[in-house]
Amino acid sequence: MADAQREDAAETDTPNANDAQEKTSNSTMVEDSSTTLLKRMEITVAEAEKRTGKKAVNMQETYTVYLIETRPSSAVNEGQSVAPDALWRRYSEFELLRNYLLVTYPFIVVPPLPEKRAEFVWHKLSADNMDPDFVERRRVGLETFLLRVASHPVMSNDKIFYHFLMQERGWKEVVYDTGFQAKADSRLRALNATFRVKNPDKRFMEMKHYSDELQAITSQLLRARARVADRLYGVYKVHGNYGRVFSEWSAIEKEMGDGLQSAGHHMDAYAASIDDILEEEEHYADQIKEYLFFAEALRAVCRKHELSQYELETASLDLTSKKLQREELATGIVRTFSFKGMTTKLFGQETADQREARLKLLEEQIDEGEETVREKTAECEEHVHSGWEDMQRFKEQKDRDLREAFINYAYMQMSMCKKGIQMWSNAKECFSKM
Amino acid sequence: MSGNVADSAVSPTTPAQTIPADLSGQMLELDEDDDLEVFSKDTTNTDGGSFNASMQTSPGSMINQYKFDEEEEEEDPGAKDLFITVDNPESHITTIETFITYRVVTKTTRSEFDSSEYEVRRRYQDFLWLRGRLEEAHPTLIVHPLPEKFVMKGMVERFNDDFIETRRRALHHFLNRIAEHPILSCNEDLKVFLSAQAWELASHKKQGPGFLSRMGETVRAVAASVRGVKNRPEEFNSIQEYVESFSQKMTSLDRITQRIVKEEREYLEEMKEYAPTYTLWSGSEEELAEPLKGVANCLDRCFQETEGQVRQLSDCLAPTLHEYVLSTDTLKAVLRRRDNMQAELEAKNEALAAKRADRDALKEEIDKLEDRVEWANNALKGDWSRWQRSMRSDLKDAFVSTAQKNVDYYEKVRVTHLKPPQPHHTFDTRLVSITL
């Protein structure tokens, strides 16, 4: 199934790749390419394995590593059986990669990782990170993450990302060398701060509002779904008791015995069928979950805009105020309150030299300020442009993905109904023979 | 269990009577009073007063009533001549109490009834009275159980609609089982119950076997149960064993069904919260609004259909199972009473052998007792056969209709999901957008 997908991928074009090239002045680009990494390379997270290792304080820990395999697409297409390049990574390394991407590309809605801890569990699902089902679903989620990054017009060309896929040792050092960690901290602080922006881009504000709604609604949906799954599990499983009792009952009956016995088997089958049904539904839940986390990433892009805009506004205000001070100094007309002005009034006029010095300082500050404003304006504009573009791309992707998810959900329900019909029809036949 | 009682040897001890061999379709009474009165049936006599509460017929003539073969599945529907329905529950409020009455409609071609149609209103207490009278009159016949007075579990109150409907069904079933029974359907109290006006019934209720005779009965019963029976016929042993097992199974099934109902009700509660999230979400989306509303719609349908499914379980399957749990109590009681009769006989035989009392009087008593025990055994065997057939039929119907309801449920839900268009790929949907 997956292979067929990737072959389809070789045919289609990525429309945004070219645009992204021109706009991004990112020095971490690997090479000029008109296609994303995914076109040239097949990526899978093939396996998961448990490891035990020593932590820094000489304590043992058990963790899971995931095998990333890569193969050039050309080889796959030509049907050559090429041994893949492979390396092992653990979840924390994926987190590191994602943090790097978040800081480096603040205008991109960065795909989320699968959840760190199992949330929205219903009673059968283990909340334990070492549980094999959890690990398997995480493996799938990590693969999705890599594929999404590799197919992004901008991110797919990132050097650090490439190294993540290709170079097991020393990758961490390379990442830290980029110095992104420092930016990461300030970014976090900025995102969490409250500040008032006077003229944010309306579209970004709407998008932020939407991301809040999306986060709230998907969260509610997932919680409700988990509870429904829990109840449905109960309903099906109780029917298993019918199987047991029918079997016992058939032992004391003559004419009814056969009918009861076979009906009992169908009850057992019915009770068992819920396991597969709910496992399939977990995939659906994972798809919704991805977009719950995507909502956060979307919000981050909007917040970054607010931050840029705020910094620009602050810089502009500061520049205006400095210019006004200069004007006052030059003309002697005091329009604004200033401490200097007050002390002057109280302690007398300053000398011409003093004024000269102050004026010079102001001029320097104004020059700096204008430079800052220019930078900030450019930064803001660029972020608005690239960010809006990526948000559009994200919106289309979301609509496609979720539409498919809902359709598949409907098919899952239908399949469940078909199974139910079959089982109860069989049971009915057995009962009729009672 | 053989229902063919014609094989058993019976020696009628009562003087000749003009009772014909085939008594089906005629109303006769059997009373456990020791004075064996003979009743002569005159078919031209349409006077309702020709019936007496304490009538009896000899065991010999009753034999033919129990000519059931094992192959005979159901009684000939054409022979049914007493049709009863219980419906139309109504609330009555008085200063003292509030109670429900049910309309009981009887249609019959039996000549013992003055009219061919009756419509009366009865309350639960009246049914209780009737059943008590039937059990008194025929302690070794299997009388179908009544729904319980109170239901402790769940949130059922006496005047809850579901509870009333469930009770109505059980009362209807009860009267129909009585009507099908060749002996019980001829009971005088039943006739009064079906045909009398409220005040007539009330005055009739006040009559009944005297206090003393009831006392005598109780004393005998207690004495007998203390004694214990020594030589219980093997077939009654197997019935006893079966009833023990069956009782456990029914109780389990009843409990399981109640549990399913509970789980489904909780599932419905959660669905109430779940389905609207899709509708809520559709308000924030453009492209996705349509598929979201589609999912919400399907879930709503699922919710409605599940409600129907729960009703089937709680209105049909659970009450039927419960009826049979109750009926095992009846079976146990009937077996006990039969045992007591036999124990009494054995005790008297022992006394005879020990020459402790007046031989002649004792001999006469023993003869009568033997007849009674013989009759009771045959009657019970016959009733046991009929009980098994009813049980099989009732439970089969209940389970078949439950299975059918489930099939219907899944069909209806499946159809609502049929509207969405084909997806591009069945599972790896995430790759669709990634690779585009």
Side-chain angles (χ1 to χ4, degrees), chain A residues 243-257:
Chain A
R244 181 179 49 85
V245 179
F246 282 166
S247 183
E248 289 166 16
W249 183 12
S250 71
I252 61 171
E253 295 289 344
K254 269 182 265 163
E255 296 112 341
M256 294 167 79

Side-chain angles (χ1 to χ4, degrees), chain A residues 89-125:
Chain A
R89 292 256 183 244
R90 46 186 298 194
Y91 186 81
S92 55
E93 292 175 272
F94 279 85
E95 280 184 307
L96 187 57
L97 172 65
R98 185 166 190 268
N99 285 337
Y100 162 79
L101 292 171
L102 281 171
V103 169
T104 315
Y105 304 99
F107 54 92
I108 292 181
V109 182
V110 178
L113 287 172
E115 52 193 354
K116 208 172 165 72
R117 265 166 289 277
E119 279 177 56
F120 307 109
V121 289
W122 52 280
H123 89 275
K124 193 209 168 200
L125 271 189

Side-chain angles (χ1 to χ4, degrees), chain B residues 19-90:
Chain B
I19 298 165
D22 180 18
L23 295 165
S24 59
Q26 292 186 350
M27 306 234 341
L28 292 164
E29 281 277 25
L30 182 71
D31 197 307
E32 281 301 299
D33 278 314
D34 277 353
D35 50 305
L36 304 168
E37 283 179 3
V38 177
F39 167 69
S40 169
K41 176 69 187 118
D42 185 356
T43 53
T44 61
N45 195 340
T46 55
D47 172 20
S50 66
F51 281 89
N52 189 308
S54 59
M55 289 175 283
Q56 179 144 2
T57 180
S58 81
S61 53
M62 296 304 291
I63 293 168
N64 293 321
Q65 292 241 334
Y66 285 97
K67 263 201 179 105
F68 298 127
D69 295 317
E70 291 221 336
E71 293 80 58
E72 197 177 323
E73 287 285 301
E74 281 151 27
E75 290 172 326
D76 179 13
K80 191 169 173 190
D81 57 1
L82 183 61
F83 297 87
I84 310 177
T85 50
V86 177
D87 59 14
N88 191 246
E90 259 174 30

Side-chain angles (χ1 to χ4, degrees), chain B residues 185-391:
Chain B
S185 63
C186 304
N187 182 287
E188 170 67 8
D189 289 313
L190 175 69
K191 178 172 174 281
V192 173
F193 177 91
L194 294 174
S195 57
Q197 291 307 303
W199 62 268
E200 285 176 317
L201 179 64
S203 83
H204 177 86
K205 276 193 196 181
K206 294 206 173 80
Q207 309 163 20
F211 175 66
L212 281 176
S213 80
R214 272 211 294 267
M215 265 290 283
E217 190 73 45
T218 315
V219 169
R220 283 213 299 277
V222 170
S225 61
V226 170
R227 214 176 294 136
V229 68
K230 299 229 171 74
N231 287 310
R232 191 195 285 139
E234 185 47 41
E235 50 210 332
F236 295 116
N237 277 331
S238 11
I239 297 180
Q240 180 88 29
E241 271 171 40
Y242 175 87
V243 170
E244 286 298 330
S245 268
F246 181 82
S247 167
Q248 278 171 17
K249 306 305 160 230
M250 281 302 116
T251 309
S252 290
L253 288 176
D254 187 27
R255 248 202 315 246
I256 294 168
T257 309
Q258 299 287 0
R259 181 65 192 275
I260 293 177
V261 167
K262 175 172 175 281
E263 295 285 337
E264 291 211 348
R265 287 219 171 104
E266 287 179 6
Y267 166 74
L268 283 171
E269 283 303 306
E270 299 298 348
M271 279 294 266
K272 249 193 253 174
E273 302 293 322
Y274 178 52
T277 59
Y278 287 91
T279 313
L280 188 63
W281 190 354
S282 71
S284 308
E285 298 287 342
E286 298 152 8
E287 292 292 311
L288 289 176
E290 193 205 301
L292 279 166
K293 284 194 205 140
V295 176
N297 187 40
C298 291
L299 291 174
D300 276 338
R301 188 58 194 272
C302 189
F303 178 87
Q304 282 163 20
E305 295 303 327
T306 307
E307 283 186 317
Q309 197 188 23
V310 174
R311 261 198 301 276
Q312 160 72 15
L313 283 178
S314 63
D315 292 353
C316 177
L317 183 61
T320 307
L321 291 170
H322 200 67
E323 250 177 63
Y324 278 93
V325 172
L326 294 174
S327 91
T328 56
D329 289 337
T330 307
L331 286 168
K332 287 180 194 165
V334 167
L335 286 169
R336 225 183 7 255
R337 286 185 221 130
R338 190 219 68 86
D339 277 356
N340 288 345
M341 271 167 60
Q342 186 176 331
E344 207 188 314
L345 176 63
E346 284 171 355
K348 293 222 154 71
N349 272 325
E350 278 170 21
L352 188 71
K355 297 186 178 99
R356 275 194 243 117
D358 171 17
R359 289 194 66 128
D360 288 333
L362 204 54
K363 200 71 172 65
E364 210 184 308
E365 266 185 65
I366 287 173
D367 283 342
K368 280 190 209 157
L369 257 178
E370 267 173 13
D371 280 344
R372 275 180 63 204
V373 170
E374 180 102 41
W375 188 92
N377 286 350
N378 293 334
L380 182 51
K381 280 188 237 174
D383 251 17
W384 171 243
S385 234
R386 124 198 317 281
W387 181 89
Q388 283 182 297
R389 268 200 312 283
S390 304
M391 179 273 283

Side-chain angles (χ1 to χ4, degrees), chain B residues 123-140:
Chain B
R123 57 185 290 191
Y124 180 76
Q125 269 180 24
D126 300 331
F127 284 84
L128 269 181
W129 167 84
L130 173 64
R131 187 170 191 276
R133 296 288 294 151
L134 289 172
E135 268 202 318
E136 256 183 74
H138 312 282
T140 53

Side-chain angles (χ1 to χ4, degrees), chain A residues 123-321:
Chain A
H123 89 275
K124 193 209 168 200
L125 271 189
S126 170
D128 170 26
N129 282 8
M130 302 305 277
D131 177 68
D133 283 334
F134 179 79
V135 169
E136 170 57 20
R137 286 173 35 240
R138 181 178 262 195
R139 181 197 68 74
V140 171
L142 291 174
E143 192 177 279
T144 308
F145 169 75
L146 291 179
L147 292 173
R148 287 208 191 276
V149 175
S151 63
H152 190 280
V154 174
M155 289 192 294
S156 62
N157 298 316
D158 187 281
K159 240 194 300 192
I160 299 289
F161 176 59
Y162 187 78
H163 284 167
F164 180 87
L165 296 172
M166 305 304 290
Q167 189 183 309
E168 186 161 342
R169 268 181 280 275
W171 175 78
K172 270 200 193 165
E173 284 72 31
V174 177
V175 182
Y176 285 125
D177 276 349
T178 62
F180 90 95
Q181 198 69 41
K183 287 195 238 163
D185 296 333
S186 76
R187 172 185 173 270
L188 263 175
R189 253 183 281 117
L191 280 184
N192 291 329
T194 24
F195 42 81
R196 275 212 72 218
V197 194
K198 295 220 182 80
N199 281 318
D201 186 307
K202 276 212 178 62
R203 301 171 301 173
F204 278 71
M205 290 303 97
E206 279 167 17
M207 207 45 113
K208 185 173 101 159
H209 181 66
Y210 169 78
S211 78
D212 287 339
E213 284 180 353
L214 184 65
Q215 213 168 357
I217 196 63
T218 48
S219 180
Q220 197 181 333
L221 191 152
L222 287 166
R223 219 173 307 123
R225 190 212 71 90
R227 285 211 277 262
V228 168
D230 198 32
R231 288 291 152 219
L232 196 62
Y233 182 79
V235 169
Y236 271 71
K237 285 300 176 190
V238 179
H239 279 82
N241 287 305
Y242 274 148
R244 181 179 49 85
V245 179
F246 282 166
S247 183
E248 289 166 16
W249 183 12
S250 71
I252 61 171
E253 295 289 344
K254 269 182 265 163
E255 296 112 341
M256 294 167 79
D258 288 336
L260 276 174
Q261 183 83 334
S262 24
H265 290 147
H266 290 296
M267 290 298 102
D268 286 334
Y270 181 73
S273 69
I274 192 68
D275 293 315
D276 284 344
I277 290 168
L278 287 178
E279 200 184 293
E280 226 181 282
E281 259 198 39
E282 277 313 307
H283 290 296
Y284 168 71
D286 281 343
Q287 287 175 302
I288 305 291
K289 226 177 275 186
E290 200 196 5
Y291 277 92
L292 166 64
F293 302 139
F294 253 128
E296 218 178 288
L298 179 63
R299 185 175 206 277
V301 174
C302 298
R303 284 290 284 168
K304 170 69 182 168
H305 163 75
E306 280 184 307
L307 185 63
S308 299
Q309 180 70 13
Y310 176 72
E311 285 173 355
L312 172 60
E313 284 172 6
T314 309
S316 301
L317 272 174
D318 193 56
L319 181 65
T320 310
S321 135

Side-chain angles (χ1 to χ4, degrees), chain A residues 370-381:
Chain A
E370 275 178 341
E371 182 59 38
T372 309
V373 169
R374 263 195 296 276
E375 279 172 19
K376 289 293 173 192
T377 309
E379 191 188 296
C380 206
E381 271 173 20

Side-chain angles (χ1 to χ4, degrees), chain A residues 322 325-326 329-330 352-368:
Chain A
K322 292 247 163 13
Q325 280 178 42
R326 178 183 61 181
L329 259 184
D353 280 342
Q354 281 171 327
R355 245 188 60 193
E356 199 60 45
R358 274 215 301 137
L359 211 66
K360 196 153 175 247
L361 183 62
L362 264 177
E363 289 288 354
E364 279 170 25
Q365 285 175 340
I366 285 168
D367 282 339
E368 277 170 29

